[in-house]
Amino acid sequence: MRLLLVEDEKPLAELVRRGLAGEGHEVEVAHDGPTGLQLALTGRHDVVILDIMLPGLSGYRILQHLRDRGVWTPVLMLTAKDGEYDEADAFDLGADDYLTKPFSFVVLQARLRALLRRAGEAAPTVLRVGDLRLDPGTHRVHRGETEIPLTPREFGVLEHLMQNTGQVVTKTDILRSVWDAHYDGEVNVVEVYVGYLRRKIDAPFGTHSIETLRGVGYRMSEPAPAPPR
């Protein structure tokens, strides 16, 4: 693998670099945020290993810049910040995995192999429902010719609904597909995100494409005119 390690603790960075290089990987190292971002934007790495607390530019900002610019290189956040909100923020910004310090080198290697396997899968098919178009490869959504900016979580919910167009999906289905496997919060958070989606993909276009089946779940369908208020 061609890896980019962005870590400001130089002894730790060297330890990780030597361990990964010993396994046959090519490892490039940056010790500050701006340098890490510049290297990550090249898109030449298979995986970026990214600390959060970095001088000059935080790992969160680097991740946001990458995703905003359409760079979808898998990112593993490697950090001492182990709070559940820190982890949630990272995933919301587009992180692919999260590993807290201190960590097992064996686990780090396994996480990297898993990320590479997922990245090497066949390019996903563009999903279409009427004039709504979602491209999993570029993480872009369009209604007709209009691009609709979505957060990573909104994108995930919409993708799951479009993958199951015409079928009823429950809130639990959506949580299992989009949220972290260890999420134990309120199931009604799905309602909030469906509301966000309706305000972005339907309301401005006068359409109604996400149907609520009370007590059951949601169904994505060909857009119909929005019901009168």
Side-chain angles (χ1 to χ4, degrees), residues 17 40 72 99 118 151 161 184 188 224 229:
R17 187 201 67 77
W72 293 98
L99 187 60
R118 293 204 293 270
T151 67
L161 289 168
D184 59 359
N188 285 338
R229 296 188 177 185

Coordinates of all heavy atoms in Angstrom, one line a residue, residues 17 40 72 99 118 151 161 184 188 224 229:
R17 N 5.8 4.4 11.0 CA 6.4 4.4 9.6 C 7.3 3.1 9.5 O 7.2 2.4 8.5 CB 7.2 5.6 9.3 CG 7.7 5.7 7.9 CD 8.9 6.7 7.7 NE 10.1 6.2 8.4 CZ 10.9 5.2 8.0 NH1 10.6 4.6 6.8 NH2 11.9 4.8 8.7
A40 N -2.1 15.0 0.8 CA -3.3 14.2 0.6 C -4.1 14.6 -0.6 O -4.7 13.7 -1.3 CB -4.2 14.4 1.9
W72 N -11.6 11.2 -2.4 CA -12.2 10.2 -1.6 C -11.3 9.1 -1.2 O -11.7 8.0 -1.0 CB -13.5 9.7 -2.3 CG -14.5 10.8 -2.4 CD1 -14.8 11.6 -3.5 CD2 -15.4 11.2 -1.4 NE1 -15.7 12.5 -3.1 CE2 -16.1 12.3 -1.9 CE3 -15.6 10.8 0.0 CZ2 -17.0 13.0 -1.1 CZ3 -16.5 11.5 0.7 CH2 -17.2 12.5 0.2
L99 N -9.4 5.1 15.0 CA -8.6 4.2 15.9 C -8.0 5.2 16.9 O -7.3 6.1 16.6 CB -7.6 3.5 15.1 CG -6.8 2.4 15.9 CD1 -7.7 1.3 16.4 CD2 -5.7 1.8 15.0
R118 N -12.2 -2.4 0.7 CA -13.4 -1.7 0.3 C -13.1 -0.7 -0.8 O -13.9 -0.5 -1.7 CB -13.9 -0.9 1.6 CG -14.4 -1.8 2.7 CD -15.4 -1.1 3.5 NE -14.8 -0.1 4.3 CZ -14.3 -0.2 5.5 NH1 -14.3 -1.4 6.1 NH2 -13.8 0.8 6.2
T151 N -24.5 16.7 3.6 CA -23.5 16.2 4.5 C -23.3 14.7 4.3 O -24.1 14.1 3.7 CB -24.0 16.5 6.0 OG1 -25.1 15.6 6.2 CG2 -24.4 17.9 6.2
L161 N -31.9 4.9 0.9 CA -33.3 5.0 0.4 C -33.4 4.7 -1.1 O -34.3 4.0 -1.6 CB -33.9 6.4 0.7 CG -34.2 6.7 2.2 CD1 -34.5 8.1 2.4 CD2 -35.4 5.8 2.7
D184 N -25.9 3.8 19.8 CA -26.9 3.3 20.7 C -27.8 4.5 21.2 O -28.4 4.5 22.2 CB -26.3 2.6 22.0 CG -25.4 3.5 22.8 OD1 -25.2 4.7 22.3 OD2 -24.9 3.1 23.8
N188 N -35.0 7.9 16.6 CA -35.7 9.0 15.9 C -34.7 10.0 15.3 O -35.2 11.0 14.6 CB -36.6 9.8 16.9 CG -37.9 9.0 17.2 OD1 -38.3 8.1 16.4 ND2 -38.5 9.2 18.3
A224 N -43.4 12.9 -7.0 CA -44.7 13.4 -7.3 C -44.8 14.9 -6.9 O -43.9 15.4 -6.1 CB -45.8 12.6 -6.6
R229 N -50.1 22.8 0.9 CA -50.1 23.1 2.4 C -51.4 23.7 2.8 O -52.0 24.4 2.1 CB -48.9 24.1 2.6 CG -47.6 23.4 2.3 CD -46.4 24.3 2.8 NE -45.1 23.7 2.5 CZ -44.0 24.2 2.9 NH1 -44.0 25.3 3.6 NH2 -42.8 23.6 2.7

